[in-house]
């Protein structure tokens, strides 16, 4: 409840029509699923953030969710690069209710930056090893 939120590892879902939609790992099929709001069996409820009301019709929302079920395969889940917070943010933008608060995704952004830096260093190491192996 602090006004200053650094971020953390959060589960996020979006409540639409009395159902909470979220994304997680699944070995087969889509990672998009719905549950009773604030009752996800694998996560602890922290708080509700009011983001607004969509101007989409029920049919448009249903079509949007059907599309996202196809776009978010369960095996595509990645703790840092494609997680439930990314899904919730994408869904909120498509619903036209605005962005989720930045602190919700902050730790993932930091993690992504660290992964990119690490991958860049690994590519540099491989190039340098290749150069060294081809030296006269």
């Amino acid at each position: 409840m602090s006004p200053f939120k650094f971020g953390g590892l959060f589960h996020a879902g979006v409540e639409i029509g009395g159902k909470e939609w979220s994304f997680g790992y699944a070995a087969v099929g889509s990672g998009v699923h719905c549950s009773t709001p604030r009752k996800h069996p694998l996560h602890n409820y922290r708080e509700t953030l009011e983001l607004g009301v969509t101007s989409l019709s029920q049919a448009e929302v249903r079509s949007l969710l059907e599309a996202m079920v196809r776009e978010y395969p369960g095996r595509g889940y990645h703790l840092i690069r494609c997680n439930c917070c990314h899904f919730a943010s994408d869904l909120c933008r498509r619903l036209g209710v605005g962005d989720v608060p930045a602190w919700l995704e902050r730790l993932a952004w930091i993690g992504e930056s660290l992964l990119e830096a690490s991958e860049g260093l690994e590519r540099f190491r491989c190039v340098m090893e290749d150069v060294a192996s081809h030296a006269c």
Side-chain angles (χ1 to χ4, degrees):
M1 299 298 182
S2 169
F4 304 104
K5 293 178 171 66
F6 171 72
L9 294 175
F10 302 112
H11 169 72
V14 178
E15 186 174 338
I16 303 170
K19 295 180 182 178
E20 181 178 306
W21 292 87
S22 59
F23 173 66
Y25 176 81
V28 294
S30 179
V32 176
H33 56 277
C34 69
S35 61
T36 302
R38 300 174 300 280
K39 303 286 186 199
H40 193 285
L42 301 177
H43 302 285
N44 294 317
Y45 168 72
R46 179 177 174 201
E47 68 182 290
T48 296
L49 305 171
E50 297 285 336
L51 295 177
V53 177
T54 184
S55 62
L56 300 180
S57 69
Q58 285 184 346
E60 290 171 319
V61 170
R62 187 173 29 261
S63 178
L64 169 61
L65 290 169
E66 288 170 358
M68 293 184 81
V69 162
R70 291 187 302 274
E71 293 171 24
Y72 280 84
R75 294 184 68 96
Y77 179 88
H78 187 280
L79 183 62
I80 294 173
R81 291 187 166 138
C82 186
N83 61 40
C84 60
C85 296
H86 295 102
F87 171 80
S89 181
D90 186 18
L91 178 53
C92 287
R93 277 193 295 277
R94 293 186 196 195
L95 288 168
V97 297
D99 292 325
V100 298
W103 59 263
L104 187 66
E105 296 181 287
R106 187 167 292 130
L107 193 59
W109 293 336
I110 292 168
E112 177 68 17
S113 296
L114 292 172
L115 277 176
E116 287 178 4
S118 173
E119 291 166 350
L121 288 172
E122 182 63 18
R123 284 190 298 275
F124 178 74
R125 183 189 63 79
C126 290
V127 167
M128 294 307 293
E129 286 178 356
D130 189 47
V131 167
S133 70
H134 292 93
C136 295

